[in-house]
Amino acid sequence: MYFDTHAHYDDEKFDENRDILIEEMHSNGVDYIINIGSDMESSVKSMELAKKYDFIYAAVGVHPHEVRDMTEADIERLREYSKYEKVVAIGEIGLDYYYDFSPRDKQKYWFERQLELAAELDLPVSIHSRDAAQETFDIIKNSRVRKGVIHAYSGSVEMARDYIDMGFYIGVGGVVTFKNAKKLIDVVRFAPMEKILLETDSPYLSPVPLRGTVNNSQNLKYVADKIGEIKQISPEKVCEITSQNAKVIFWQKKVVA
Ligand code: NI
């Protein structure tokens, strides 16, 4: 039923119950998960999870928070990692001008460099963007990458349209259930169902009514309910279409599930 296109089950918040939770989720309708790397170590851990569980896939990449010490040798490692058939994307990569944990010039440099790698490998990207909407868009537009997902999309309807026109998908998670989600609800109303992906960002961004708890992929139920309400279709239909979308974008390597 559910295809969670963005989760971090390597996170230490899952150290106590990771395997039990993953099995439980799978028996409760979580068909597929893409575990997303945020630095070199979590990229390796994402691949380990993909090797252990047939329904988990991996993305490898370095988050803007972590790029301050990135090197060209890391790019070579990511290139090596991508040879594993269950590595289905480069990510998460992008810009974060809210926290500024890495200097902005480094964020931009390694974002562009990882986009270049994705283009070369013909892989989709998972994009993180916070307080840097226009610059993120411009960098992607100037790159050769034309497939991927804007994770936890928080921009305007106009920008969503431009991303969709460029070949990108809109990642929608728990935020759509928040009280102050008006802008995102407008985006969901505007975007064709064929361009929306479900995601949790577990352990973060739990939906209402579970805000503040450790998130997991079963909570996509609340996201699917909300999108169904906005689009006036059943939550089952939301799951069916978004799962199909995820397969179209992430299974281009034609890996067998
Ligand atoms: Ni994330």
Side-chain angles (χ1 to χ4, degrees):
M1 192 161 40
Y2 305 116
F3 193 136
D4 187 350
T5 60
H6 193 117
H8 302 279
Y9 286 106
D10 54 286
D11 191 284
E12 62 184 12
K13 290 199 176 69
F14 297 111
D15 281 354
E16 275 176 25
N17 67 339
R18 180 173 296 105
D19 292 311
I20 295 166
L21 176 66
I22 287 173
E23 297 288 358
E24 178 196 299
M25 291 190 298
H26 198 39
S27 32
N28 285 335
V30 178
D31 295 336
Y32 301 104
I33 295 167
I34 300 182
N35 203 82
I36 309 277
S38 48
D39 57 17
M40 297 308 290
E41 194 188 334
S42 65
S43 295
V44 171
K45 286 183 178 167
S46 294
M47 291 192 293
E48 284 168 2
L49 284 169
K51 281 172 188 161
K52 189 162 178 183
Y53 296 99
D54 60 357
F55 64 101
I56 298 185
Y57 292 75
V60 297
V62 181
H63 189 288
H65 286 350
E66 311 296 337
V67 293
R68 77 186 82 77
D69 300 318
M70 199 172 177
T71 65
E72 195 57 32
D74 291 329
I75 293 288
E76 286 315 306
R77 275 180 214 114
L78 292 175
R79 193 194 309 278
E80 273 306 303
Y81 298 164
S82 75
K83 288 178 183 162
Y84 172 41
E85 60 176 1
K86 290 182 81 185
V87 169
V88 294
I90 297 295
E92 53 185 295
I93 60 174
L95 301 175
D96 194 311
Y97 291 176
Y98 180 80
Y99 286 107
D100 277 327
F101 286 161
S102 302
R104 292 186 180 182
D105 57 335
K106 292 212 170 173
Q107 290 193 42
K108 279 186 263 185
Y109 179 82
W110 291 110
F111 181 29
E112 288 170 348
R113 187 70 190 86
Q114 291 183 94
L115 283 169
E116 185 55 37
L117 178 70
E120 193 187 309
L121 298 169
D122 197 24
L123 281 174
V125 291
S126 183
I127 301 293
H128 173 103
S129 178
R130 190 151 181 206
D131 281 8
Q134 191 59 48
E135 211 157 343
T136 305
F137 180 85
D138 292 341
I139 287 177
I140 293 173
K141 195 172 182 200
N142 288 329
S143 79
R144 295 189 293 133
V145 176
R146 287 297 177 267
K147 57 188 177 191
V149 52
I150 313 304
H151 145 63
Y153 185 78
S154 62
S156 64
V157 168
E158 293 71 29
M159 189 169 275
R161 184 197 55 217
D162 291 344
Y163 271 125
I164 289 168
D165 288 349
M166 218 158 54
F168 286 80
Y169 290 75
I170 306 299
V172 180
V175 175
V176 78
T177 68
F178 294 1
K179 260 210 178 90
N180 58 356
K182 191 189 170 303
K183 201 169 147 195
L184 180 57
I185 288 172
D186 287 343
V187 168
V188 169
R189 194 173 288 121
F190 159 80
M193 269 315 294
E194 286 65 35
K195 289 295 173 184
I196 294 174
L197 295 176
L198 296 191
E199 59 169 53
T200 58
D201 207 18
S202 295
Y204 310 107
L205 297 179
S206 280
V208 172
L210 303 168
R211 259 191 106 166
T213 66
V214 174
N215 202 3
N216 73 66
S217 306
Q218 293 169 92
N219 299 338
L220 283 177
K221 175 193 181 307
Y222 301 99
V223 178
D225 283 354
K226 186 68 190 185
I227 295 176
E229 188 189 311
I230 300 166
K231 295 299 230 183
Q232 299 279 296
I233 57 174
S234 70
E236 291 75 22
K237 194 74 191 164
V238 171
C239 294
E240 183 190 320
I241 300 173
T242 52
S243 293
Q244 183 56 33
N245 299 344
K247 292 174 188 176
V248 168
I249 173 170
F250 291 116
W251 287 0
Q252 298 175 352
K253 281 167 118 180
K254 298 203 195 327
V255 286
V256 179

